[in-house]
Amino acid sequence: MERESLYKNFVPAKTPSEEGHGPAYWLAFSSSRLLVHTDTHGFSLPYVGGLEELNLSAVRVRFLGTFRQRPCYAAELSDENQAPNNFTFTDLRSFYSGADEDVFLLAGRSYQIILWEKTNHYCGRCGHLTETAQAEWAKICPSCKSLSYPHIAPAVIVGVLKDNQILLTRYSRSRVNMHTIIAGFLEPGETLEECVRREVLEEVGIKVKNIRYFGSQPWPFPNSVMIGFTAEYESGEIKPDGTEIAEAGWYSAGSTPVIPPKMSISREIIDWFMNEYSIKAKSD
């Protein structure tokens, strides 16, 4: 699976160029909600010379680089800010459903940096005020010299196949009747493949084999990277754990229930299965 990279349109940098301070894209967050311009075409990022043009004030601002050859900044807004006319604050999940993929990826990157800045203002070892490194995304404690980097939590996600069917589950926490594939966070000391085996066994009680890498996706909810796999059924009977998984079952390419929206790697794995196995069914 090949995903179009954010870096096709985005060039990361730590400091802006010396050409001046013209208009820029602003990825401004109030708590976890992104400021967006709204019109009949949907959402777009603010493109202004500074937040003061929108009567907004920021707690902190970080230069990100250039997006589509224009500078862009991440900002954490102070709590008293209100959205200007024709703007609104939206959560990233809502933005995800209506944004271009590279814009969503940039918004996710921005949110993770802002969240990291906010939660690493003080040293976790000695409590001293930290300083921001100039050459990399890192916080340095001037007292104990401890370094902290943006936290990224790796998680596996796997499409399990058996007899031309895919295993789909409904998570207990799901607010809609949507089915997806199994996912879970990597634990200390595990390989990715071991994590796949453990998560499938824990959540639905079956064993898998022939685990193959599919692709990966940054997932800013709040700071994950999803590492996708496919695997084949080996043994066991489906038995949802009753805690995380409410129901699970095998589905053929033509009989899938409601599945995740486009852009998610879970949907890409399911779409890959439906394409591969609908073609296979026609040829049999």
Side-chain angles (χ1 to χ4, degrees):
M1 188 276 298
E2 283 205 18
R3 171 180 298 280
E4 183 170 303
S5 172
L6 167 65
Y7 296 110
K8 181 177 180 181
N9 292 307
F10 174 69
V11 179
K14 293 295 183 298
T15 56
S17 65
E18 298 178 357
E19 273 86 17
H21 303 282
Y25 288 115
W26 286 86
L27 295 109
F29 289 88
S30 176
S31 185
S32 60
R33 298 171 67 83
L34 176 67
L35 180 70
V36 293
H37 183 261
T38 56
D39 56 28
T40 55
H41 301 291
F43 295 146
S44 59
L45 297 175
Y47 183 64
V48 293
L51 292 175
E52 63 277 2
E53 293 183 19
L54 302 176
N55 295 317
L56 298 172
S57 58
V59 176
R60 56 181 58 86
V61 173
R62 292 292 177 263
F63 181 69
L64 298 173
T66 56
F67 180 64
R68 296 173 182 166
Q69 300 181 329
R70 296 174 178 177
C72 52
Y73 292 84
E76 178 190 350
L77 299 177
S78 51
D79 292 339
E80 67 271 12
N81 283 283
Q82 301 293 320
N85 290 336
N86 300 320
F87 286 83
T88 189
F89 289 107
T90 185
D91 63 273
L92 281 179
R93 289 189 183 275
S94 299
F95 186 65
Y96 159 77
S97 64
D100 291 339
E101 183 168 13
D102 52 0
V103 178
F104 169 72
L105 291 172
L106 182 61
R109 180 190 185 97
S110 304
Y111 176 64
Q112 289 180 78
I113 288 172
I114 288 297
L115 183 63
W116 167 71
E117 290 267 4
K118 184 176 182 178
T119 55
N120 287 270
H121 198 53
Y122 294 94
C123 176
R125 178 185 290 174
C126 72
H128 199 282
L129 191 68
T130 59
E131 299 175 352
T132 301
Q134 298 301 311
E136 58 181 342
W137 291 112
K139 289 287 188 178
I140 306 168
C141 177
S143 178
C144 70
K145 310 305 179 185
S146 176
L147 277 173
S148 61
Y149 296 92
H151 176 62
I152 299 173
V156 300
I157 185 164
V158 56
V160 180
L161 309 180
K162 176 190 178 186
D163 298 332
N164 298 339
Q165 295 180 307
I166 190 169
L167 177 66
L168 296 179
T169 66
R170 183 174 65 81
Y171 277 83
S172 302
R173 65 179 180 273
S174 176
R175 291 172 291 180
V176 295
N177 189 30
M178 184 178 71
H179 286 64
T180 186
I181 55 181
I182 289 176
F185 287 103
L186 190 71
E187 292 188 352
E190 282 186 322
T191 67
L192 295 170
E193 292 81 3
E194 287 169 341
C195 184
V196 167
R197 294 187 184 95
R198 176 183 56 77
E199 285 290 343
V200 175
L201 186 61
E202 286 180 354
E203 295 193 356
V204 294
I206 65 174
K207 294 182 178 181
V208 295
K209 61 182 180 179
N210 296 334
I211 299 167
R212 294 183 175 88
Y213 176 72
F214 182 87
S216 63
Q217 178 183 33
W219 197 241
F221 300 109
N223 50 18
S224 299
V225 57
M226 305 300 296
I227 305 154
F229 294 90
T230 61
E232 296 176 11
Y233 166 85
E234 181 177 333
S235 63
E237 296 294 328
I238 292 176
K239 185 179 180 181
D241 66 0
T243 302
E244 288 196 63
I245 305 296
E247 59 182 285
W250 299 106
Y251 293 85
S252 63
S255 65
T256 55
V258 177
I259 55 177
K262 296 287 187 181
M263 284 208 310
S264 65
I265 193 169
S266 55
R267 177 60 178 267
E268 289 187 18
I269 292 174
I270 296 170
D271 283 349
W272 167 84
F273 159 78
M274 290 194 292
N275 181 62
E276 289 289 315
Y277 284 84
S278 61
I279 292 173
K280 186 176 292 187
K282 290 177 183 177
S283 64
D284 289 343

